[in-house]
Amino acid sequence: MSFLDEKTGKELVLPVTPSGYTWAHPNRVESIQLDQTGEINLPGGAMMGSCTLDNVLLPTRLYSFCNPGAVANPYVYLEQLEIWSDNGTVVRWMVSGTPVNAPVIIESIDQGERDGTNDLYITIRMKQYRKPEVPVLAVSGGGAQTSRDDGTGAAQERTYTIQSGDTLWGIAKKYYGSGTEYKRLAEANRDQIPNPNLIYPGQTIVIPAGDNLPQAGTDSPSVALADETKSTWDPATGTWNLTL
């Protein structure tokens, strides 16, 4: 295993290869509650990898199992690792013979001795690094607008086919960031959705650009009555009670 500072060309090969490692490759999963379906899980985007190398031996003598070119001075290695850690230097961590080759930041280093040999044992914690991406700004007229993903429905008009378990609230939240826009979305599809509380699988609706959402229409008597109706659960009788 080795670390490489690509800017300076400085490479540090560990004198003794650790007995093992685990490189975490996580992915964020977002849970959403749907009225009829219940909980569903959706991919929420990649997260950064991480690794902890435990019991890394920095020897004070050249054992037979030391890597070629090793130096019998543990503090040569410790000092360089601490410099990279203190400076927040992005280094490339590589494991020979494997696909592991990732830019990382060394988060912390623990050190200690054991067995009276003066050998140093360290634990290296590191996290993957990714260069921040700057949003692309497009200037139009007298102002600037941040470029958006066309697939969000907030940048330009598109259509959507309602799936089993969908609610208009959930669709509005997905495309506009707030479920409270569901009545405005219903107004944009008045010919398809006379009642925002009733949508059906297979319906194809328009998802207008965010700036083109119409104002919410006047609720029909049935919708207004449904909105005013309150439901409470009576555990003694095992029934729901509806009141206005």
Side-chain angles (χ1 to χ4, degrees):
M1 294 185 189
S2 62
F3 296 88
L4 173 65
D5 182 349
E6 294 180 294
K7 289 185 176 181
T8 64
K10 176 71 174 181
E11 184 176 13
L12 188 71
V13 179
L14 294 179
V16 178
T17 301
S19 59
Y21 72 92
T22 300
W23 174 248
H25 182 83
N27 183 53
R28 180 179 288 105
V29 176
E30 296 182 356
S31 297
I32 299 176
Q33 292 288 342
L34 299 179
D35 291 344
Q36 301 177 17
T37 306
E39 183 182 65
I40 63 172
N41 293 318
L42 298 174
M47 299 173 64
M48 293 289 89
S50 62
C51 178
T52 298
L53 295 178
D54 290 312
N55 297 318
V56 178
L57 174 60
L58 304 181
T60 56
R61 68 188 75 178
L62 294 179
Y63 298 107
S64 60
F65 49 78
C66 287
N67 290 320
V71 177
N73 184 344
Y75 296 99
V76 169
Y77 300 94
L78 180 62
E79 181 182 15
Q80 184 60 66
L81 290 169
E82 288 182 339
I83 289 173
W84 283 335
S85 179
D86 293 344
N87 294 337
T89 304
V90 178
V91 294
R92 187 164 292 276
W93 175 53
M94 298 171 287
V95 181
S96 179
T98 78
V100 176
N101 186 326
V104 299
I105 298 174
I106 299 174
E107 185 177 29
S108 66
I109 304 169
D110 298 336
Q111 60 168 301
E113 297 184 8
R114 64 184 69 167
D115 303 329
T117 60
N118 293 326
D119 292 335
L120 202 61
Y121 290 84
I122 65 173
T123 296
I124 307 172
R125 297 180 182 86
M126 49 191 166
K127 291 186 177 179
Q128 188 177 6
Y129 169 81
R130 177 187 293 166
K131 185 177 181 179
E133 296 182 0
V134 179
V136 177
L137 298 179
V139 178
S140 176
Q145 181 179 5
T146 302
S147 175
R148 298 176 182 173
D149 180 359
D150 292 343
T152 65
Q156 66 179 23
E157 183 175 300
R158 57 167 293 174
T159 59
Y160 176 77
T161 301
I162 295 172
Q163 308 295 316
S164 177
D166 277 346
T167 63
L168 206 60
W169 178 283
I171 295 172
K173 183 175 181 180
K174 175 181 179 181
Y175 290 110
Y176 303 108
S178 173
T180 59
E181 303 287 9
Y182 80 103
K183 289 187 177 181
R184 298 177 66 186
L185 181 57
E187 181 65 19
N189 293 274
R190 178 173 284 276
D191 58 331
Q192 291 275 354
I193 311 175
N195 185 338
N197 299 313
L198 296 175
I199 59 175
Y200 304 95
Q203 288 179 295
T204 299
I205 63 175
V206 174
I207 307 293
D211 294 338
N212 295 333
L213 267 179
Q215 293 300 314
T218 303
D219 289 340
S220 66
S222 62
V223 173
L225 181 63
D227 288 343
E228 294 175 5
T229 302
K230 309 299 180 183
S231 60
T232 56
W233 172 255
D234 186 348
T237 61
T239 58
W240 288 95
N241 298 317
L242 302 180
T243 57
L244 292 175

